[in-house]
Amino acid sequence: MTTPDLPPEALLQVATYLSQDSYVACTRVCKSWNLVFEELVWCNVKLMDPSRMPPPDALLRHRDLIKDLSFKLPKFHLAPDYFTLQYPNLRSLMVDCEYDDSCLNAMVSNHTSLICFELATFLRMASLSLWKSLSGLENLSVLIIDERVEFGDDGFGQINARLESLQLENVFLWDPDPNTLRSMIFPFIRELRLRNIDKQYFDMVLDLMERCPGLEILEWGTIQLLCLERFSRLASSRTWPRLRELTLSTLGRFHVVDMNLAVVLQMMTHIDTISIKRGFGPLSMAALRPHFAMVRKLELSDGRVTSEMVQEILTSCPLLEVLSAPWLRSEDFLNGRPWVCTDLRRLEVDLVLRDIDRVRPLILERLSQLTHLNHLLLGMFPVDDDGNDVITPGLEDHFEMLAILCDREHFSVCAIVNFMEKEVEWMLRGWREWTHFEGHLNMDPKIDAALRQRLRDHGIVCD
């Protein structure tokens, strides 16, 4: 079988490894390839660079293939012809540029198949006519807004009945009548993400949350203590019985935040994902323990998360796929039970190591058992008996213990460790899927720069 004779399903598998520019090249191989790759080229169109935008007549010829369309241009007048075209199968529309009300309203009204709409320009308030146009989209279930939002009977409230996912970022929330939002109900919203919301709107945000009884996924970028207390009271009243994913960044006294987080976690009947940037402590840990058997993702970046907590999580959560934690001491690692999270795919943790020569091979042996791991951010900080940092050689021959991890994609190092050329060459040979590196390879700036350049020469992105 020659390459052009590959069946379409095989070509689609090949396409998962290719870039958008490669799709274009593949359309020129033969007719059978053109049929497969032309759809991939035009399925997701991003109009971002005026110098590289396809001409309107090209979009017109392929409009039936376009399902996702993004406008991210410096000036609206660069793309008026693109707004007036009709795309019969359009599912998702993102607008991040200056726009004319009438053109945008007409485009929204003419594409009744839209499922997702994102408005990401914060130069003006979304007009009531736009909300009216959106209210006519019977299939609209995902709304992402990054500008001023008006809650009113003739505005945002018109589309609340069908939404399943709502994301508000950098928005100004304005309600001409404080009772308007309290009279609404969002019966189908499962996902609510709130990012960079000013504290003056926190009460309104909580009013909004209270009107989402079917909430399953909640992200709140920054929440102050008083709001957290009201949030925990709502949770204890089982306002959101289906909540399973929670992302919070909290402000306030640690022990009070920990107490309120524990109330929220106790309310949750099934925890799949927890991401807490501040306030996770012993009370929250106690509330999380009953969910160890089901939890899949934990991101705990607070410095008060103890090494003992991290070790307990690694030895008690069999379904865990993602763990981000501050630190793990070698004493807890050596004295604890074996890790049970064999499906772990992403691990971010700092290891504080005493007796580095003895502990290092044991750490690497444990990591080698995580056969699904493809994202590793590993901090290795050797210390002496007094707790002082010690610069140590690289991983030397022990590095070969990681040979089984051949599908590594992202490797990060934050360590007082000196890698040398031997170890870098081993990584390049052994990790053929490796694409990203973060951190320093050597404490000597000149050696580090040379090693990072070696990675770049092999196509590795170094941050």
Side-chain angles (χ1 to χ4, degrees):
M1 178 183 293
T2 62
T3 300
D5 293 330
L6 289 174
E9 54 271 20
L11 291 177
L12 290 175
Q13 184 64 32
V14 171
T16 61
Y17 298 95
L18 302 179
S19 65
Q20 186 75 9
D21 290 339
S22 298
Y23 292 165
V24 176
C26 289
T27 61
R28 305 189 184 106
V29 173
C30 62
K31 289 184 178 180
S32 61
W33 280 45
N34 180 273
L35 290 174
V36 173
F37 284 97
E38 187 176 54
E39 184 172 350
L40 296 176
V41 168
W42 292 101
C43 178
N44 186 350
V45 176
K46 298 179 180 179
L47 304 178
M48 302 174 63
D49 184 352
S51 65
R52 299 187 61 188
M53 285 167 49
D57 60 333
L59 266 72
L60 183 62
R61 290 196 306 273
H62 300 94
R63 58 180 182 171
D64 290 345
L65 300 177
I66 299 176
K67 297 179 181 179
D68 305 301
L69 181 61
S70 301
F71 292 89
K72 193 171 184 179
L73 299 163
K75 293 292 183 181
F76 165 77
H77 67 263
L78 295 173
D81 294 338
Y82 300 89
F83 269 77
T84 56
L85 292 176
Q86 292 195 22
Y87 310 91
N89 298 309
L90 193 63
R91 303 173 307 183
S92 175
L93 174 64
M94 191 275 276
V95 179
D96 186 5
C97 61
E98 296 182 41
Y99 59 86
D100 176 82
D101 280 344
S102 58
C103 285
L104 183 56
N105 292 341
M107 185 173 192
V108 170
S109 300
N110 290 334
H111 294 88
T112 56
S113 59
L114 275 177
I115 297 173
C116 174
F117 179 73
E118 178 176 356
L119 188 61
T121 177
F122 41 83
L123 300 176
R124 50 185 302 176
M125 184 176 76
S127 65
L128 297 183
S129 58
L130 175 60
W131 294 123
K132 185 175 182 180
S133 299
L134 290 171
S135 68
L137 302 178
E138 295 184 358
N139 298 315
L140 186 68
S141 61
V142 180
L143 180 63
I144 303 172
I145 300 294
D146 186 355
E147 68 161 54
R148 187 172 178 179
V149 175
E150 177 183 358
F151 292 109
D153 291 336
D154 296 324
F156 182 73
Q158 295 187 26
I159 59 174
N160 71 74
R162 294 186 300 273
L163 287 181
E164 296 180 11
S165 176
L166 175 63
Q167 177 177 315
L168 302 177
E169 184 169 358
N170 298 313
V171 298
F172 295 93
L173 304 175
W174 179 61
D175 187 354
D177 181 355
N179 295 317
T180 300
L181 185 58
R182 296 188 180 98
S183 66
M184 296 180 184
I185 188 71
F186 300 84
F188 300 116
I189 285 188
R190 300 182 300 103
E191 180 179 10
L192 181 61
R193 300 189 183 274
L194 306 164
R195 300 169 180 168
N196 299 326
I197 307 296
D198 192 275
K199 62 183 180 181
Q200 64 179 309
Y201 304 115
F202 281 179
D203 283 337
M204 192 177 297
V205 163
L206 285 165
D207 288 341
L208 172 62
M209 290 183 189
E210 193 173 2
R211 300 298 179 270
C212 303
L215 202 60
E216 297 179 17
I217 302 170
L218 174 62
E219 175 185 346
W220 192 349
T222 302
I223 176 172
Q224 292 188 325
L225 182 57
L226 290 177
C227 293
L228 179 61
E229 291 175 347
R230 180 184 167 191
F231 177 69
S232 65
R233 290 196 299 270
L234 290 172
S236 63
S237 301
R238 300 195 60 78
T239 305
W240 311 285
R242 300 176 184 173
L243 189 63
R244 57 183 175 82
E245 294 189 17
L246 180 64
T247 300
L248 293 178
S249 179
T250 58
L251 300 174
R253 290 173 294 172
F254 175 81
H255 70 281
V256 179
V257 172
D258 184 28
M259 178 180 63
N260 283 279
L261 284 176
V263 171
V264 176
L265 296 178
Q266 287 170 353
M267 173 279 305
M268 299 173 69
T269 57
H270 175 86
I271 294 180
D272 182 87
T273 298
I274 293 294
S275 178
I276 305 295
K277 293 186 177 180
R278 189 180 185 279
F280 189 93
L283 297 177
S284 302
M285 184 68 173
L288 182 63
R289 282 193 183 97
H291 304 278
F292 277 173
M294 299 301 296
V295 68
R296 294 181 180 275
K297 180 178 179 180
L298 288 175
E299 294 178 333
L300 309 172
S301 56
D302 196 309
R304 302 200 191 193
V305 174
T306 67
S307 175
E308 293 88 345
M309 291 180 185
V310 177
Q311 175 67 7
E312 183 180 356
I313 289 169
L314 288 167
T315 59
S316 306
C317 301
L319 300 183
L320 194 65
E321 297 179 2
V322 176
L323 176 63
S324 176
W327 64 310
L328 177 62
R329 297 181 306 183
S330 56
E331 301 95 296
D332 298 312
F333 169 82
L334 293 173
N335 297 330
R337 293 175 288 124
W339 296 353
V340 298
C341 48
T342 55
D343 289 332
L344 202 64
R345 301 178 185 277
R346 181 185 182 108
L347 177 62
E348 300 181 1
V349 65
D350 289 340
L351 304 176
V352 180
L353 309 177
R354 297 179 187 272
D355 194 0
I356 181 66
D357 292 332
R358 182 172 69 95
V359 173
R360 183 170 52 192
L362 298 176
I363 292 285
L364 294 177
E365 182 181 8
R366 183 65 55 84
L367 291 175
S368 71
Q369 298 170 8
L370 305 177
T371 56
H372 297 287
L373 196 66
N374 60 27
H375 186 118
L376 176 63
L377 195 162
L378 182 62
M380 298 184 71
F381 295 93
V383 296
D384 59 23
D385 291 338
D386 296 324
N388 300 314
D389 293 336
V390 176
I391 297 178
T392 181
L395 302 184
E396 300 174 336
D397 295 334
H398 301 311
F399 211 81
E400 298 293 334
M401 294 180 180
L402 297 183
I404 193 173
L405 305 179
C406 58
D407 61 346
R408 171 77 64 256
E409 296 176 2
H410 198 131
F411 179 53
S412 304
V413 174
C414 177
I416 307 176
V417 175
N418 282 333
F419 289 88
M420 299 303 290
E421 185 176 358
K422 176 180 65 174
E423 290 142 336
V424 170
E425 291 297 329
W426 182 91
M427 288 188 282
L428 291 172
R429 291 195 309 271
W431 296 345
R432 298 184 180 180
E433 302 298 326
W434 192 14
T435 59
H436 288 78
F437 172 78
E438 296 179 25
H440 294 282
L441 292 162
N442 196 288
M443 301 301 292
D444 185 312
K446 291 184 178 180
I447 298 177
D448 182 67
L451 294 177
R452 290 165 66 87
Q453 185 58 50
R454 180 69 173 150
L455 298 185
R456 293 190 185 96
D457 293 342
H458 281 75
I460 308 296
V461 176
C462 297
D463 297 326

